[in-house]
Amino acid sequence: MNRRLAALANAHGVSTWYEDWRHRRVEVAPETVVGVLGLLGVDATSPTAIADALAAARAVDRNALPETVVLTHGRSRALPGPGVLTLEDGGRRPVDGELPANLPLGWHRLACADREVTVVVVPRRLPVPPRAWGWMLQLYALTSERSWGMGDLGDLAEFTEWAGANGAGLVLLNPLHAVGPAHPVATSPYSPASRRFVNPLYLRVSDTAAYRAADPATRAVVDALRPDRGP
């Protein structure tokens, strides 16, 4: 790849290579880099355009703030001027031309140079997670005497309690997200339409507040809807 094009891409945060699944370095095609830069509003379609864009990028203040500043804990960062940092816990701290190295971990807000940006302070190294074993299961297949033809959240609660008591550290499940609330209803549990809600098919009817508050006659009507488990 042309050295100037690579420098221009680097100035705008565009990768010019990546590591594939075999840990081999793969160079990105120059036309792809030019196309991505174009989407960012940077003309790199000719040597002259590349030179002009590179000169403009180098003229930008090195301390200019991006929308999100990621700062490793224990390190500082120069700023274009003084400002006020609002910490994640609500505390406020004045900063004079530099983000200090002793900021607490978390998501903070910085008001500086007539802008307000997010400051994320991250740890130098993540702790090694504890080793654990567990179960992988499809909830709809985890049936019991109390479920209505398919596994439900009540079955899941009983299973996780049993698994934890026997030393398991995790339970891996199929998606439990809600499907589209319109006909025809998707028959596959792998077609979630929302990550905000759980699929109501996994509710244990007898554990819901509405069922418990219902009068005996209403409960009898609901109970009659339960699929026949057969002999």
Side-chain angles (χ1 to χ4, degrees), residues 35-54:
V36 173
L37 286 171
L39 294 174
L40 297 175
V42 181
D43 183 8
T45 56
S46 69
T48 301
I50 292 175
D52 292 343
L54 189 55

mmCIF file of all heavy atoms in Angstrom, residues 35-54:
data_model
loop_
_atom_site.group_PDB
_atom_site.id
_atom_site.type_symbol
_atom_site.label_atom_id
_atom_site.label_comp_id
_atom_site.label_asym_id
_atom_site.label_seq_id
_atom_site.Cartn_x
_atom_site.Cartn_y
_atom_site.Cartn_z
ATOM 1 N N GLY A 35 -12.211 3.756 -0.049
ATOM 2 C CA GLY A 35 -13.661 3.795 0.106
ATOM 3 C C GLY A 35 -14.093 4.137 1.516
ATOM 4 O O GLY A 35 -15.011 4.928 1.726
ATOM 5 N N VAL A 36 -13.407 3.555 2.522
ATOM 6 C CA VAL A 36 -13.748 3.840 3.920
ATOM 7 C C VAL A 36 -13.438 5.290 4.261
ATOM 8 O O VAL A 36 -14.230 5.976 4.925
ATOM 9 C CB VAL A 36 -12.993 2.884 4.860
ATOM 10 C CG1 VAL A 36 -13.203 3.290 6.318
ATOM 11 C CG2 VAL A 36 -13.454 1.450 4.640
ATOM 12 N N LEU A 37 -12.293 5.780 3.799
ATOM 13 C CA LEU A 37 -11.959 7.187 4.030
ATOM 14 C C LEU A 37 -13.007 8.098 3.393
ATOM 15 O O LEU A 37 -13.384 9.129 3.961
ATOM 16 C CB LEU A 37 -10.572 7.491 3.463
ATOM 17 C CG LEU A 37 -9.391 6.938 4.271
ATOM 18 C CD1 LEU A 37 -8.088 7.102 3.492
ATOM 19 C CD2 LEU A 37 -9.281 7.636 5.618
ATOM 20 N N GLY A 38 -13.481 7.712 2.210
ATOM 21 C CA GLY A 38 -14.520 8.501 1.557
ATOM 22 C C GLY A 38 -15.783 8.579 2.377
ATOM 23 O O GLY A 38 -16.437 9.633 2.444
ATOM 24 N N LEU A 39 -16.148 7.461 3.050
ATOM 25 C CA LEU A 39 -17.327 7.471 3.917
ATOM 26 C C LEU A 39 -17.131 8.397 5.110
ATOM 27 O O LEU A 39 -18.105 8.890 5.695
ATOM 28 C CB LEU A 39 -17.627 6.052 4.399
ATOM 29 C CG LEU A 39 -18.070 5.045 3.320
ATOM 30 C CD1 LEU A 39 -18.190 3.656 3.918
ATOM 31 C CD2 LEU A 39 -19.400 5.476 2.712
ATOM 32 N N LEU A 40 -15.876 8.634 5.473
ATOM 33 C CA LEU A 40 -15.560 9.545 6.577
ATOM 34 C C LEU A 40 -15.395 10.983 6.104
ATOM 35 O O LEU A 40 -15.037 11.862 6.890
ATOM 36 C CB LEU A 40 -14.281 9.086 7.286
ATOM 37 C CG LEU A 40 -14.336 7.717 7.972
ATOM 38 C CD1 LEU A 40 -12.966 7.346 8.536
ATOM 39 C CD2 LEU A 40 -15.377 7.712 9.082
ATOM 40 N N GLY A 41 -15.639 11.201 4.805
ATOM 41 C CA GLY A 41 -15.518 12.548 4.265
ATOM 42 C C GLY A 41 -14.114 12.949 3.903
ATOM 43 O O GLY A 41 -13.820 14.149 3.778
ATOM 44 N N VAL A 42 -13.217 11.977 3.730
ATOM 45 C CA VAL A 42 -11.815 12.248 3.393
ATOM 46 C C VAL A 42 -11.557 11.782 1.966
ATOM 47 O O VAL A 42 -11.684 10.592 1.662
ATOM 48 C CB VAL A 42 -10.859 11.528 4.365
ATOM 49 C CG1 VAL A 42 -9.405 11.836 4.009
ATOM 50 C CG2 VAL A 42 -11.163 11.932 5.806
ATOM 51 N N ASP A 43 -11.191 12.697 1.107
ATOM 52 C CA ASP A 43 -10.917 12.374 -0.298
ATOM 53 C C ASP A 43 -9.515 11.796 -0.421
ATOM 54 O O ASP A 43 -8.521 12.458 -0.118
ATOM 55 C CB ASP A 43 -11.056 13.629 -1.155
ATOM 56 C CG ASP A 43 -10.860 13.336 -2.645
ATOM 57 O OD1 ASP A 43 -10.765 12.144 -3.008
ATOM 58 O OD2 ASP A 43 -10.810 14.299 -3.435
ATOM 59 N N ALA A 44 -9.428 10.541 -0.872
ATOM 60 C CA ALA A 44 -8.130 9.886 -1.076
ATOM 61 C C ALA A 44 -8.086 9.230 -2.450
ATOM 62 O O ALA A 44 -7.453 8.197 -2.644
ATOM 63 C CB ALA A 44 -7.885 8.851 0.018
ATOM 64 N N THR A 45 -8.767 9.847 -3.410
ATOM 65 C CA THR A 45 -8.903 9.232 -4.733
ATOM 66 C C THR A 45 -7.760 9.559 -5.679
ATOM 67 O O THR A 45 -7.722 9.033 -6.785
ATOM 68 C CB THR A 45 -10.237 9.678 -5.374
ATOM 69 O OG1 THR A 45 -10.286 11.122 -5.408
ATOM 70 C CG2 THR A 45 -11.421 9.152 -4.561
ATOM 71 N N SER A 46 -6.828 10.424 -5.259
ATOM 72 C CA SER A 46 -5.694 10.761 -6.128
ATOM 73 C C SER A 46 -4.502 11.132 -5.266
ATOM 74 O O SER A 46 -4.667 11.485 -4.079
ATOM 75 C CB SER A 46 -6.055 11.940 -7.044
ATOM 76 O OG SER A 46 -6.188 13.130 -6.292
ATOM 77 N N PRO A 47 -3.281 11.081 -5.811
ATOM 78 C CA PRO A 47 -2.095 11.468 -5.023
ATOM 79 C C PRO A 47 -2.200 12.885 -4.477
ATOM 80 O O PRO A 47 -1.801 13.147 -3.331
ATOM 81 C CB PRO A 47 -0.956 11.317 -6.028
ATOM 82 C CG PRO A 47 -1.435 10.287 -6.992
ATOM 83 C CD PRO A 47 -2.902 10.530 -7.119
ATOM 84 N N THR A 48 -2.729 13.805 -5.272
ATOM 85 C CA THR A 48 -2.868 15.182 -4.799
ATOM 86 C C THR A 48 -3.854 15.276 -3.655
ATOM 87 O O THR A 48 -3.611 15.965 -2.651
ATOM 88 C CB THR A 48 -3.327 16.085 -5.957
ATOM 89 O OG1 THR A 48 -2.373 16.034 -7.020
ATOM 90 C CG2 THR A 48 -3.477 17.516 -5.487
ATOM 91 N N ALA A 49 -4.991 14.568 -3.782
ATOM 92 C CA ALA A 49 -6.000 14.587 -2.722
ATOM 93 C C ALA A 49 -5.454 13.973 -1.440
ATOM 94 O O ALA A 49 -5.715 14.472 -0.338
ATOM 95 C CB ALA A 49 -7.254 13.840 -3.181
ATOM 96 N N ILE A 50 -4.674 12.909 -1.580
ATOM 97 C CA ILE A 50 -4.088 12.269 -0.405
ATOM 98 C C ILE A 50 -3.124 13.221 0.288
ATOM 99 O O ILE A 50 -3.126 13.348 1.522
ATOM 100 C CB ILE A 50 -3.368 10.967 -0.809
ATOM 101 C CG1 ILE A 50 -4.387 9.914 -1.265
ATOM 102 C CG2 ILE A 50 -2.533 10.426 0.355
ATOM 103 C CD1 ILE A 50 -3.766 8.641 -1.796
ATOM 104 N N ALA A 51 -2.300 13.908 -0.497
ATOM 105 C CA ALA A 51 -1.342 14.854 0.086
ATOM 106 C C ALA A 51 -2.053 15.976 0.821
ATOM 107 O O ALA A 51 -1.657 16.370 1.937
ATOM 108 C CB ALA A 51 -0.437 15.410 -1.012
ATOM 109 N N ASP A 52 -3.111 16.522 0.222
ATOM 110 C CA ASP A 52 -3.854 17.606 0.859
ATOM 111 C C ASP A 52 -4.525 17.130 2.138
ATOM 112 O O ASP A 52 -4.502 17.835 3.165
ATOM 113 C CB ASP A 52 -4.891 18.165 -0.107
ATOM 114 C CG ASP A 52 -4.266 18.894 -1.286
ATOM 115 O OD1 ASP A 52 -3.072 19.245 -1.196
ATOM 116 O OD2 ASP A 52 -4.972 19.092 -2.300
ATOM 117 N N ALA A 53 -5.140 15.955 2.087
ATOM 118 C CA ALA A 53 -5.838 15.434 3.264
ATOM 119 C C ALA A 53 -4.856 15.101 4.372
ATOM 120 O O ALA A 53 -5.146 15.300 5.562
ATOM 121 C CB ALA A 53 -6.649 14.200 2.883
ATOM 122 N N LEU A 54 -3.679 14.597 4.006
ATOM 123 C CA LEU A 54 -2.673 14.265 5.015
ATOM 124 C C LEU A 54 -2.141 15.528 5.671
ATOM 125 O O LEU A 54 -1.933 15.568 6.894
ATOM 126 C CB LEU A 54 -1.537 13.476 4.366
ATOM 127 C CG LEU A 54 -0.506 12.853 5.309
ATOM 128 C CD1 LEU A 54 -1.173 11.961 6.334
ATOM 129 C CD2 LEU A 54 0.520 12.063 4.503
#
